[in-house]
Amino acid sequence: MRPRSVVSEPAPALAVAGVTLSFGGVRALHDVSFEVQPGSITSVIGPNGAGKTSLFNCISGFYRPAAGSIRLFGERIDRWSPPRRARHGLARTFQNIALFRGMTVLDNIKLGRHAHLETSLVDALVYYGRARREEVALRAEIEHRIIDFLEIDHIRKAPVGALAYGLQKRVELARALAMRPKILLLDEPVAGMNREETEDMARFILDVKADWGVTILMVDHDMGLVMDLSDHVLVLNFGEVIARGRPAEVQDDPTVVAAYLGSGDVESLRRRFAGGSDRGAEAA
Amino acid sequence: MRIGHAKESYAADEALLDSPFQWTMLALMIAGLAALPLFGDPYWVYLVCLIAIHVIGATGLNILTGFTGLVSLGHAAFLGVGAYTVAVLEARIGTPFPVNLLAGGLAAAAVGLVVGLPSLRVKGLYLAIATIAASVILHFVFLHWASLTGGPAGLSLPPATLFGVALDTPFALYWLILPVAGVMVLGAANLFRTRVGRAFIAIRDRDISAELIGIPLLKTKLMSFGISSFYAGVAGGLWAYFFRVVTPESFPLIMSIFFLAAIIVGGLGSILGGVLGAVFMTLVPEALKLGVGLLSGVLPDAVAILAPVRTVVFGALIIGFLIFEPLGLAEIWRRFRRLQHLWPFRT
């Protein structure tokens, strides 16, 4: 292993090396390696079941990979607990929204800052004094930086469970931003959204990158969004990296096309429809 | 009609009471409670003291079950730990009562931390059974550690004294119990305006994302157990000073169910709900007694059917609230307030 020099070369925001994960006999991830450059948007794509969410779960700490390492700005995090990763600037949103449904939008966003707040139990019981100062400062910052930015000021006091799907996704992004992330994992940020909501979300993602300087790693099936936003694309299939590169390069890669559309050339398909039994030829 | 209030600062928007009207109502309520011993009869003073003790206990259970989502059926045993601690300290050592109350709360909190340990692995019904088991064990200890607890006969204790005055009547204890209850309810309300309380709710609503945003699950759950049992311990300590005799039978399983019923009827996960539920559940038996007293003129054996009726009404209330108003009395109050806001333009 080569020695890492901190001065000459900045560490990648996220470095995943040789990560392997199995569930019983099912190999979810096999020797997955990639790096995410600071300040970039990297997308992970692949057909259903390719291991995208498993990869996210390894990075955020739900699964412990059987082999490989994960580094966050040079620090090895793969043995850390999820709360510790959160404190070091790793934030994430979920494919199926994972907000706290019984709470208001404002409380959900405030919760994002939990790990960075200092109010102790005694401070909390007394409230007046330290806890109050911290809460009011937090509220002001959330209002100015997050609620205005994501245009959710009209729903700040609404219970999250009562909101439309697209707004809930936006609140989840707001909560992740409140975590003061250095790197943000977005698991299908625009799944199930209509065109207008998707365009709003795309704008927010670009603004987060530009204004907040947050590095973004995302998974999505919306190819238009992925190709427009990403600086770098990684393609997974059956738990392995089958392609990587700039969006345009990946788009034209024949293995990627095959992974999405199925293997085999047009002629062999035509023969199959004609009734020929040439499975051997197809496999070749 | 009180449409709303423009707020000019975030601090004002974060306040517990958001309008002069609410402050006025609170002041009136405090004045009323302060005037009660001067005008009320001893029975009402006794009842309000009991309600206040129940309010502390119910608020404690609400922190654990209503806000953190950890069902506990061992709450009465924590009251027992507090009561025995206070009784032993008062009767055997004679430390001043504030010290005893604090020690009662801390002892219960310590036991609560141990009982809370399984909560990382078990949830819901399983945790409920685990807490029942803990309460059975504690009852066994109360009964059989005779050198400390006095065995089946229990302990009787001298009254609390303040500046040489014995607080030996409900009239005197009123001035101890009510302020303590007030401070503890305020503390609980404050808790949920800060990160500590929010973490509890986060664990209740979705523990996976709670962990991801940096909330350590076990530590936070144990903290909730500790605070909840501290409240129970203080309530138990006040209970000991109020009844002045503590026996293993003082804190039966049915008392845990009483507290659970109180927070369900009042409103799970609402400070106001815990208070309203405790008031309601304490007054229901009294109201029934009153009703039976009135009936006994018509129906000679009314007293004989009192006990089963009480139980039936208890059960019916819980079932009724689960079906018709799962959010409890607090929700009814909230609806009433909204109606107040808009009346007479919309009802």
Side-chain angles (χ1 to χ4, degrees):
Chain A
M1 197 180 260
R2 79 196 156 90
R4 278 181 304 111
S5 62
V6 181
V7 182
S8 63
E9 182 188 318
L14 186 74
V16 173
V19 164
T20 299
L21 177 76
S22 305
F23 300 106
V26 181
R27 208 167 57 184
L29 294 172
H30 179 65
D31 197 19
V32 173
S33 303
F34 64 96
E35 288 183 353
V36 175
Q37 293 312 313
S40 71
I41 296 180
T42 302
S43 291
V44 181
I45 61 171
N48 287 323
K52 306 182 294 290
T53 297
S54 295
L55 177 64
F56 267 34
N57 285 343
C58 283
I59 297 172
S60 53
F62 283 132
Y63 299 155
R64 184 159 286 182
S69 71
I70 301 168
R71 286 173 199 278
L72 186 69
F73 290 97
E75 266 191 290
R76 192 157 172 186
I77 63 166
D78 46 290
R79 299 283 160 196
W80 291 7
S81 69
R84 185 154 177 219
R85 296 179 200 213
R87 280 195 297 278
H88 277 76
L90 186 74
R92 143 171 210 190
T93 69
F94 284 84
Q95 181 176 358
N96 313 311
I97 296 162
L99 288 165
F100 307 111
R101 296 179 62 84
M103 304 174 97
T104 62
V105 168
L106 204 50
D107 279 343
N108 266 280
I109 300 173
K110 282 178 181 173
L111 262 163
R113 185 55 60 81
H114 180 89
H116 299 286
L117 297 177
E118 284 167 358
T119 300
S120 70
L121 175 57
V122 176
D123 290 342
L125 290 167
V126 177
Y127 190 73
Y128 299 94
R130 256 183 295 183
R132 185 165 183 269
R133 272 198 303 279
E134 191 175 66
E135 283 300 312
V136 171
L138 169 65
R139 173 75 191 274
E141 192 196 325
I142 285 176
E143 290 283 349
H144 298 154
R145 287 206 67 190
I146 297 174
I147 289 187
D148 280 1
F149 168 59
L150 292 176
E151 297 157 21
I152 47 178
D153 46 321
H154 57 299
I155 52 164
R156 60 162 80 85
K157 294 274 177 81
V160 158
L163 296 178
Y165 179 82
L167 281 176
Q168 291 195 18
K169 281 266 187 194
R170 212 184 284 183
V171 174
E172 214 185 5
L173 177 62
R175 187 181 67 187
L177 287 177
M179 293 173 71
R180 289 196 180 133
K182 290 184 199 144
I183 179 160
L184 186 58
L185 310 185
L186 302 172
D187 197 349
E188 303 207 10
V190 302
M193 285 189 172
N194 63 30
R195 176 172 286 272
E196 193 188 338
E197 288 169 331
T198 303
E199 281 168 3
D200 279 342
M201 186 57 83
R203 180 162 56 86
F204 292 136
I205 293 172
L206 286 173
D207 284 352
V208 166
K209 175 190 161 189
D211 298 351
W212 293 58
V214 174
T215 309
I216 293 170
L217 179 66
M218 73 176 186
V219 160
D220 213 284
H221 285 296
D222 186 322
M223 283 308 138
L225 181 90
V226 166
M227 297 305 162
D228 285 352
L229 261 54
S230 308
D231 301 307
H232 200 82
V233 177
L234 184 80
V235 190
L236 284 183
N237 195 22
F238 295 113
E240 295 185 39
V241 179
I242 58 168
R244 66 182 82 211
R246 308 184 68 78
E249 298 162 12
V250 167
Q251 223 165 357
D252 299 330
D253 191 314
T255 51
V256 175
V257 176
Y260 269 91
L261 300 180
S263 57
D265 63 343
V266 179
E267 271 311 308
S268 78
L269 280 174
R270 195 170 283 154
R271 280 200 299 278
R272 256 172 72 188
F273 282 122
S277 56
D278 54 346
R279 287 198 167 275
E282 187 189 335
Chain B
M1 183 180 78
R2 11 172 264 113
I3 295 293
H5 291 270
K7 287 152 193 148
E8 290 171 353
S9 70
Y10 294 127
D13 200 36
E14 298 274 325
L16 279 178
L17 299 177
D18 66 354
S19 66
F21 178 78
Q22 281 183 305
W23 278 106
T24 315
M25 295 312 276
L26 183 72
L28 282 177
M29 199 183 84
I30 291 173
L33 284 173
L36 182 79
L38 306 178
F39 302 105
D41 61 6
Y43 176 66
W44 276 100
V45 173
Y46 162 86
L47 211 55
V48 173
C49 286
L50 196 60
I51 287 174
I53 292 172
H54 286 164
V55 163
I56 299 174
T59 302
L61 185 63
N62 214 351
I63 290 172
L64 182 66
T65 302
F67 285 99
T68 320
L70 303 170
V71 183
S72 167
L73 280 170
H75 206 59
F78 297 133
L79 267 88
V81 171
Y84 269 106
T85 308
V86 164
V88 168
L89 287 175
E90 182 72 48
R92 304 253 167 97
I93 300 171
T95 38
F97 78 83
V99 175
N100 297 349
L101 274 183
L102 196 63
L106 292 176
V111 176
L113 289 181
V114 176
V115 173
L117 277 175
S119 66
L120 184 68
R121 294 274 168 229
V122 294
K123 286 182 201 165
L125 274 178
Y126 303 93
L127 184 62
I129 297 297
T131 54
I132 288 184
S135 89
V136 170
I137 293 170
L138 284 170
H139 273 111
F140 186 85
V141 173
F142 296 157
L143 197 59
H144 292 280
W145 192 359
S147 60
L148 188 71
T149 65
L155 289 172
S156 45
L157 61 155
T161 50
L162 185 63
F163 305 124
V165 182
L167 307 174
D168 53 356
T169 62
F171 278 98
L173 276 171
Y174 190 86
W175 301 107
L176 167 64
I177 294 175
L178 256 72
V180 170
V183 167
M184 293 191 81
V185 169
L186 179 63
N190 283 338
L191 200 60
F192 293 97
R193 304 159 77 187
T194 65
R195 71 191 280 267
V196 181
R198 282 196 297 266
F200 293 169
I201 306 177
I203 285 179
R204 176 194 72 190
D205 281 358
R206 202 174 275 260
D207 50 3
I208 288 178
S209 16
E211 210 177 1
L212 264 196
I213 57 175
I215 298 171
L217 290 187
L218 183 62
K219 191 183 147 202
T220 311
K221 283 179 176 180
L222 285 182
M223 195 190 262
S224 179
F225 257 101
I227 298 170
S228 167
S229 327
F230 179 84
Y231 274 66
V234 172
L238 291 171
W239 195 96
Y241 279 127
F242 194 59
F243 291 104
R244 300 250 305 280
V245 60
V246 181
T247 71
E249 300 310 309
S250 308
F251 307 98
L253 182 60
I254 189 80
M255 190 191 232
S256 297
I257 295 171
F258 170 90
F259 281 119
L260 201 57
I263 60 172
I264 290 172
V265 168
L268 286 167
S270 152
I271 294 294
L272 179 68
V275 175
L276 292 177
V279 173
F280 190 78
M281 293 300 281
T282 317
L283 288 180
V284 163
E286 301 304 321
L288 280 171
K289 263 186 213 160
L290 200 70
V292 170
L294 293 176
L295 273 177
S296 60
V298 195
L299 201 69
D301 54 352
V303 178
I305 55 171
L306 170 68
V309 165
R310 251 183 72 173
T311 318
V312 169
V313 170
F314 250 48
L317 276 175
I318 297 172
I319 294 171
F321 268 99
L322 283 177
I323 295 173
F324 297 110
E325 193 47 88
L327 299 174
L329 290 165
E331 176 65 16
I332 294 175
W333 175 247
R334 211 178 58 82
R335 270 208 302 268
F336 173 69
R337 271 184 28 102
R338 201 168 50 206
L339 190 145
Q340 247 186 331
H341 277 264
L342 301 173
W343 186 89
F345 297 113
R346 203 195 292 166
T347 52

